[in-house]
Amino acid sequence: MRLALSQFCFPELSTRDFLDVVVRAGAEGCELAVIGGPRAPEDPKAMIAAARRSPIPIESVNVLR
């Protein structure tokens, strides 16, 4: 079992900022939160770019529509 943080716990943070928090907290992984629909708070391409730059393993991607 690994210690992982969920992005749903920090809804006000962008994915890039969330991943920075995960690194600083010493977590071993994370779960990304994708909120879809016409008023999505973050561009999925920005999320993907942030995830690719981060050294943190992505344990899961949770989607709410």
Side-chain angles (χ1 to χ4, degrees):
M1 181 170 68
R2 292 195 283 206
L3 173 64
L5 292 176
S6 173
Q7 192 173 13
F8 284 117
C9 295
F10 302 93
E12 70 282 359
L13 297 180
S14 69
T15 298
R16 186 187 69 197
D17 292 340
F18 167 70
L19 291 170
D20 288 343
V21 167
V22 173
V23 169
R24 287 191 310 237
E28 300 165 308
C30 71
E31 296 182 324
L32 295 183
V34 179
I35 300 174
R39 294 183 182 216
E42 186 173 11
D43 177 25
K45 290 180 183 179
M47 293 181 77
I48 291 167
R52 286 186 174 151
R53 283 191 303 269
S54 177
I56 294 296
I58 308 300
E59 303 295 337
S60 65
V61 177
N62 303 292
V63 180
L64 291 178
R65 288 193 50 109

